[in-house]
Amino acid sequence: MEVSVLEPQMLSDLARANDWNAATLVAGLRTYFRSGSTTELSWRRKQLSQLRKMISENEAHFVQALQDDLRKAPQESYLTEISFLYNDINHTLKSLKKWVRPRKVQSPMMTQPAKSYVQPEPLGVVLIIGAWNYPLQLLLSPLVPAIAAGNCAVVKPSELSPATSRLIAELLPRYLDNDAFACVEGGVAETTALLEQRWDHIMYTGGGRVGKIIMSAAAKYLTPVTLELGGKSPCIVADDANLEVAARRIAWGKFTNAGQTCIAPDYVLCSRQTADRFTPMLQRVLWEMYGEHPRESADYGRIINSQHTLRLSDYLGDGEVVFGGEVDVDDCYMAPTIMRNVNLSAGVMQEEIFGPILPIIELDDFSKAEEFVNEREKPLALYVFTQDEALADRILSRCSSGNACVNDCMMFMLAQDLPFGGVGASGMGSYHGEHGFRTFSHYKAVMRRRNILDIDIRYAPFNDRKMKFLRLLSK
Ligand code: NAD
């Protein structure tokens, strides 16, 4: 595939060309929003189609940018970023007419004659802050429902994935309505300037530390927030699980994008006997997937930068490395790694790993698995591998998590009608499909009355007759 790489300097100049003063930018978008243009369904459809066109016409450039940022394999980029967005946009275009429709509700007797309905309306001007691990999908997937709901938006890609950030900043103005959308590149300074503005909603994807900064900035204007955060997602493997299948699916969930996935299984929780059977199966799957030298595999990614590679390499001392463990900081490389006998109070089990290290935690008493999970922060995802439906039901009902999957990892992401979001420390609010449309809409309660029939019981002077009638109506 011939990829004509866009000149980085040219791109950053273009991105800077919408030279921005945060306050002026937001004021301009707000003026446009108030013009009412974004409420037109045809406008929303056009913007969504343009977004799809932007991706399809530049697929090769996106694949290249994702390679540059994370050494993602083209097929992986297609599966987890590009096709994900196509499905998202197509589903939204197909469903939009239904989502925007007012929903009728009953009007009680005392209000008759009346029509009551719930009318979704756009929030206004929204800010979307993306993360670096899926730098395309995590920035544009929230933009899809923001457009669908009729908002103006500013997107802020992560500075840690500069190639994708630059490409989006360069392309977005070429395809979308520039009066309604803008992309601001940058790091802390730019995000801080944006956060000082008044927004109608902020959606942030990233770690909890910055999540708190976002929430306190939003509090100034009582701006609602959606926080898509992370955490340690447990993967419980019961003794009766089909371990062959589990090994493949867990290895895929963990080592895709070199473990830098917010819903990657963070650690495996199982009995000692299962750990002994499961470890060699995982090793075999990893050999099959990435060969004996994963570093040479075109299908195995890299850590986002050397700082994160160093952070990850520190975890290797927190237990016994039974597979992998090779690190090359200069190449941002860490081999797919399995650890056992890890120290539960050390970094590897106290922090979200967010890299290609899979600790296997062996429980003397497997029935303590739920307790193990519940003693920790509520995770973004919870995985259970078992053939026992009752066991799966019990774990799902006792352990809270943002999302859950039985006998697989991460696949719930493909179901457009499932909400995606965290709970507790793993986030608040959700999106995907109609849930995203709801996030970026206000559901306005409307009652329309007519001027005939004006039951007098609510008006003074009050008397027994009115009271009796009132009681009758409230029965
Ligand atoms: P981060 O939180 O450092 O950065 C995310 C965004 O915040 C970037 O756009 C960055 O520019 C901005 N930012 C950074 N510092 C800031 C500051 N001081 N003030 C204002 N803005 C600032 O990203 P990270 O923590 O490295 O991302 C990894 C985390 O994100 C992991 O915990 C992962 O689980 C989580 N994550 C969650 C999801 C999800 O959908 N729930 C997806 C991807 C990643």
Side-chain angles (χ1 to χ4, degrees):
M1 180 164 43
E2 181 71 18
V3 179
S4 73
V5 181
L6 294 152
E7 260 306 306
Q9 191 49 47
M10 185 185 99
L11 293 189
S12 55
D13 286 350
L14 271 166
R16 257 182 256 127
N18 61 23
D19 195 17
W20 70 295
N21 163 297
T24 315
L25 174 65
V26 179
L29 296 176
R30 197 169 294 288
T31 302
Y32 189 68
F33 177 74
R34 287 185 181 145
S35 75
S37 306
T38 70
T39 54
E40 298 295 330
L41 209 54
S42 56
W43 179 88
R44 303 187 201 184
R45 284 185 185 288
K46 168 109 192 286
Q47 300 309 309
L48 289 168
S49 304
Q50 283 293 108
L51 191 65
R52 184 174 55 193
K53 195 168 169 203
M54 177 187 103
I55 302 163
S56 65
E57 287 186 350
N58 298 281
E59 239 185 64
H61 291 304
F62 281 116
V63 165
Q64 184 62 53
L66 293 164
Q67 279 251 315
D68 293 349
D69 285 330
L70 288 142
R71 195 93 68 92
K72 281 196 202 210
Q75 214 158 317
E76 188 179 306
S77 290
Y78 190 80
L79 174 70
T80 61
E81 308 233 31
I82 294 167
S83 74
F84 186 92
L85 286 167
Y86 289 148
N87 292 335
D88 206 3
I89 297 170
N90 292 343
H91 178 70
T92 302
L93 280 169
K94 221 171 0 174
S95 319
L96 192 54
K97 205 165 154 200
K98 194 171 82 200
W99 296 345
V100 297
R101 213 177 279 152
R103 273 159 230 192
K104 237 180 114 181
V105 298
Q106 279 206 330
S107 301
M109 177 77 94
M110 197 158 143
T111 67
Q112 295 295 349
K115 248 199 293 186
S116 301
Y117 54 90
V118 181
Q119 172 78 65
E121 66 177 20
L123 294 173
V125 184
V126 304
L127 173 64
I128 296 167
I129 304 174
W132 49 262
N133 56 334
Y134 290 86
L136 178 63
Q137 190 240 105
L138 291 174
L139 191 77
L140 299 190
S141 183
L143 181 61
V144 172
I147 296 174
N151 297 283
C152 293
V154 170
V155 293
K156 211 295 288 175
S158 172
E159 70 279 23
L160 297 193
S161 42
T164 314
S165 168
R166 228 170 284 138
L167 188 57
I168 295 172
E170 194 265 333
L171 293 175
L172 218 64
R174 290 200 209 160
Y175 287 84
L176 296 194
D177 184 342
N178 287 314
D179 290 327
F181 304 105
C183 176
V184 172
E185 284 197 279
V188 177
E190 290 78 3
T191 315
T192 305
L194 288 171
L195 287 173
E196 280 162 7
Q197 309 309 310
R198 182 181 193 133
W199 301 94
D200 298 297
H201 193 94
I202 302 175
M203 176 175 270
Y204 162 79
T205 302
R209 185 187 63 81
V210 177
K212 289 177 191 167
I213 297 174
I214 306 290
M215 210 167 163
S216 43
K220 184 175 169 198
Y221 293 112
L222 292 177
T223 298
V225 293
T226 302
L227 301 179
E228 295 287 342
L229 310 177
K232 292 183 84 63
S233 297
C235 185
I236 300 173
V237 180
D239 290 341
D240 75 328
N242 181 330
L243 292 186
E244 292 282 351
V245 174
R248 233 180 3 253
R249 295 181 180 178
I250 293 171
W252 174 74
K254 180 73 190 188
F255 298 104
T256 290
N257 200 24
Q260 300 161 108
T261 305
C262 54
I263 47 168
D266 190 87
Y267 59 92
V268 164
L269 209 50
C270 61
S271 70
R272 197 166 299 277
Q273 81 202 54
T274 294
D276 288 340
R277 288 169 55 218
F278 190 51
T279 309
M281 289 184 192
L282 264 178
Q283 295 176 350
R284 206 178 49 244
V285 168
L286 288 173
W287 276 320
E288 280 165 18
M289 281 166 67
Y290 304 117
E292 219 177 304
H293 305 289
R295 190 176 180 159
E296 287 157 23
S297 165
D299 298 334
Y300 187 66
R302 291 296 182 269
I303 308 304
I304 188 71
N305 57 31
S306 51
Q307 233 174 312
H308 274 281
T309 316
L310 280 169
R311 174 186 67 81
L312 289 164
S313 68
D314 275 353
Y315 293 149
L316 300 178
D318 294 346
E320 185 191 344
V321 173
V322 296
F323 185 79
E326 299 83 23
V327 180
D328 181 342
V329 177
D330 293 335
D331 188 26
C332 294
Y333 171 76
M334 176 177 267
T337 297
I338 304 171
M339 291 180 75
R340 288 180 71 174
N341 303 314
V342 297
N343 176 355
L344 294 185
S345 46
V348 78
M349 281 309 291
Q350 290 296 316
E351 293 147 19
E352 178 182 357
I353 296 172
F354 217 55
I357 302 172
L358 184 64
I360 298 179
I361 312 294
E362 297 144 43
L363 294 170
D364 291 329
D365 176 1
F366 181 74
S367 69
K368 297 266 191 275
E370 292 152 30
E371 210 177 299
F372 190 97
V373 171
N374 289 335
E375 278 166 357
R376 290 160 174 78
E377 296 285 9
K378 291 181 181 180
L380 185 56
L382 172 70
Y383 301 115
V384 184
F385 285 79
T386 180
Q387 304 191 59
D388 178 349
E389 297 288 334
L391 175 67
D393 283 344
R394 201 187 69 200
I395 294 173
L396 293 185
S397 70
R398 293 195 185 165
C399 300
S400 177
S401 63
N403 314 274
C405 197
V406 178
N407 290 320
D408 211 333
C409 296
M410 313 206 294
M411 293 300 279
F412 52 79
M413 291 289 279
L414 298 181
Q416 295 285 341
D417 292 326
L418 283 177
F420 176 67
V423 57
S426 57
M428 62 184 69
S430 64
Y431 69 123
H432 289 182
E434 191 174 3
H435 304 280
F437 179 85
R438 285 178 164 272
T439 289
F440 287 105
S441 300
H442 166 61
Y443 279 72
K444 182 158 71 184
V446 182
M447 181 181 279
R448 298 177 91 122
R449 296 214 58 210
R450 286 198 277 144
N451 296 327
I452 52 165
L453 201 69
D454 203 11
I455 304 174
D456 69 351
I457 58 172
R458 64 183 154 139
Y459 303 124
F462 299 121
N463 56 34
D464 286 352
R465 176 191 62 80
K466 289 182 181 176
M467 189 63 189
K468 237 165 124 186
F469 196 21
L470 191 60
R471 282 188 187 283
L472 203 70
L473 287 180
S474 10
K475 283 214 169 112

